[in-house]
Amino acid sequence: MVWLHGAIPLFGVFLMFLRITAQPTPHQYHFINQSLSWPEAQSYCRLKHADLATVDNMDDMNRLAEALGGDIKPSWIGLERRGPLRWLWSDGSGSAHFTNWKEGEPNDAKGREGCGEISEEGTWNDHVCGGGRSFVCYERRSDGMVRYVFYSGGSWTWVQGQDICRKQHTDLAHVRNGQENVVINNLAGNNKAWIGLFKDSWTWSDGSGTSFRYWLNGGPDNYFGNEKCAAVAMSLHGRWDDAPCDRRAPFVCQGGLKARKMVVRMKMSTGVDLTDSTVSATLLQKLETSLGNHRMSDFKLSWRSDKDGQIFQRQEQQGAAGRPGC
Ligand SMILES: *[C@@H]1O[C@H](CO)[C@@H](O)[C@H](O)[C@H]1NC(C)=O
């Protein structure tokens, strides 16, 4: 419920419904062939579209590659190195809610233990991503069931495991609860095995929590020591590379919001007559401006009328004349 504080003297209390219609499909990508720094590209996208591009999965990645229209130069996407290190799942599902770390782990023992493994007894440990391990993939089948596949041998890096899992199955195993942990542990038997856990501090410009990454060579290299922004390049087969944010490059914006339609019920105490169409149109415009200031774009507002064609329902006043506003 949104409370709006209206002018006095109090005229009445109105109940009304506001329809917010977002423009079409999620993650519509737009390649902008202008060379800007990452922050400038971000401002451009927020002004003209919704934000810099977020990539949720391989399907998105393929559509983004299409949007690049054959351009092979590195182009900015909405990923930047900002915020704390946290453990994430390779399949894009975000941070690890269920965890089963061995006592004292993760301890980043060698200062570069950025990948997660399941140990012989089923607890988790952080390990150097280039270390040799077996690994467990998972596969989401069309009936919604999950199947795990174990690759033995003990000589795979985490990234090699990820590549194979993404090609042959869905991704490295994502462990959502104790039951799944037992299943994976039994499958791996007496082996240490990679699961889909990795650590990074990258965040998406649009606030999305997706942990899907598609780095060249499995991870950002921070080659110049100040590479805090991510670019996609078709010359790298669509893989991502980190680069200094002030470098000028073309970029990819996304338009559209995930929510397509939203109806908001508002109650308002006001001294003006809302049934006057000029008044209601002005109010709509003000709401639109206010939402625009809150990083929303690509949307339209309209009043929704009930079956009698009424938009505003006047309510009988109960008790106190004044109501808290915000
Ligand atoms: C982008 O612009 C460059 C020239 O500045 C041009 O060579 C290239 O083909 C353009 N890319 C696309 C996809 O239009």
Side-chain angles (χ1 to χ4, degrees), residues 38-194:
W38 192 93
E40 287 166 349
Q42 184 189 44
S43 301
Y44 178 101
C45 289
R46 286 181 174 176
L47 191 69
K48 304 260 181 173
H49 300 280
D51 214 312
L52 273 167
T54 293
V55 184
D56 281 338
N57 48 46
M58 257 344 267
D59 287 344
D60 275 356
M61 193 49 235
N62 292 333
R63 283 190 301 108
L64 188 132
E66 233 168 79
L68 291 176
D71 207 289
I72 59 166
K73 290 188 300 296
S75 302
W76 295 127
I77 54 172
L79 194 61
E80 61 173 330
R81 194 197 299 267
R82 180 169 56 81
L85 278 170
R86 67 252 191 261
W87 286 95
L88 301 165
W89 291 110
S90 166
D91 67 353
S93 59
S95 55
H97 298 294
F98 167 80
T99 60
N100 195 37
W101 296 107
K102 191 181 294 182
E103 208 184 318
E105 302 291 350
N107 66 354
D108 200 12
K110 300 192 173 76
R112 51 197 177 98
E113 296 193 329
C115 291
E117 63 179 1
I118 187 165
S119 66
E120 298 87 333
E121 68 272 13
T123 53
W124 302 354
N125 174 50
D126 56 344
H127 191 61
V128 180
C129 302
R133 289 285 184 263
S134 303
F135 61 97
V136 182
C137 303
Y138 85 97
E139 198 169 305
R140 194 177 306 285
R141 300 189 318 203
S142 51
D143 60 4
M145 298 291 285
V146 171
R147 187 167 79 96
Y148 299 99
V149 185
F150 175 63
Y151 286 75
S152 61
S155 61
W156 311 90
T157 66
W158 187 88
V159 171
Q160 285 170 335
Q162 184 191 47
D163 278 348
I164 291 170
C165 291
R166 283 181 175 176
K167 273 201 196 92
Q168 308 290 333
H169 311 285
T170 301
D171 213 309
L172 277 167
H174 171 191
V175 191
R176 292 172 301 185
N177 52 51
Q179 216 173 349
E180 289 183 352
N181 201 72
V182 169
V183 172
I184 291 165
N185 183 216
N186 287 342
L187 186 64
N190 215 20
N191 297 279
K192 295 185 197 320
W194 294 126

Side-chain angles (χ1 to χ4, degrees), residues 86-325:
R86 67 252 191 261
W87 286 95
L88 301 165
W89 291 110
S90 166
D91 67 353
S93 59
S95 55
H97 298 294
F98 167 80
T99 60
N100 195 37
W101 296 107
K102 191 181 294 182
E103 208 184 318
E105 302 291 350
N107 66 354
D108 200 12
K110 300 192 173 76
R112 51 197 177 98
E113 296 193 329
C115 291
E117 63 179 1
I118 187 165
S119 66
E120 298 87 333
E121 68 272 13
T123 53
W124 302 354
N125 174 50
D126 56 344
H127 191 61
V128 180
C129 302
R133 289 285 184 263
S134 303
F135 61 97
V136 182
C137 303
Y138 85 97
E139 198 169 305
R140 194 177 306 285
R141 300 189 318 203
S142 51
D143 60 4
M145 298 291 285
V146 171
R147 187 167 79 96
Y148 299 99
V149 185
F150 175 63
Y151 286 75
S152 61
S155 61
W156 311 90
T157 66
W158 187 88
V159 171
Q160 285 170 335
Q162 184 191 47
D163 278 348
I164 291 170
C165 291
R166 283 181 175 176
K167 273 201 196 92
Q168 308 290 333
H169 311 285
T170 301
D171 213 309
L172 277 167
H174 171 191
V175 191
R176 292 172 301 185
N177 52 51
Q179 216 173 349
E180 289 183 352
N181 201 72
V182 169
V183 172
I184 291 165
N185 183 216
N186 287 342
L187 186 64
N190 215 20
N191 297 279
K192 295 185 197 320
W194 294 126
I195 50 177
L197 277 174
F198 73 101
K199 193 169 64 172
D200 87 9
S201 58
W202 290 77
T203 52
W204 292 102
S205 173
D206 71 349
S208 157
T210 180
S211 53
F212 181 79
R213 310 282 186 263
Y214 197 54
W215 297 110
L216 183 69
N217 302 322
D221 57 11
N222 201 15
Y223 188 77
F224 291 109
N226 62 341
E227 306 201 324
K228 296 188 169 182
C229 290
V232 54
M234 289 324 288
S235 60
L236 310 173
H237 307 288
R239 294 274 179 173
W240 307 349
D241 194 14
D242 51 345
C245 304
D246 56 3
R247 183 177 291 173
R248 306 181 83 75
F251 52 97
V252 187
C253 300
Q254 66 186 11
L257 291 173
K258 285 206 161 171
R260 286 180 191 203
K261 202 187 270 184
M262 213 156 71
V263 176
V264 180
R265 184 167 177 258
M266 294 196 307
K267 201 171 187 180
M268 180 190 258
S269 306
T270 181
V272 295
D273 184 3
L274 282 173
T275 52
D276 179 335
S277 64
T278 335
V279 173
S280 62
T282 307
L283 180 60
L284 202 60
Q285 211 171 37
K286 282 192 174 160
L287 286 166
E288 218 156 23
T289 310
S290 151
L291 281 173
N293 291 340
H294 286 86
R295 278 186 56 193
M296 287 183 68
S297 59
D298 287 349
F299 64 89
K300 270 208 128 27
L301 291 184
S302 57
W303 293 117
R304 198 189 70 167
S305 52
D306 65 15
K307 55 185 185 307
D308 303 324
Q310 297 267 43
I311 297 172
F312 305 103
Q313 293 162 28
R314 190 165 167 188
Q315 276 199 332
E316 292 313 313
Q317 267 174 261
Q318 331 119 317
R323 283 288 201 163

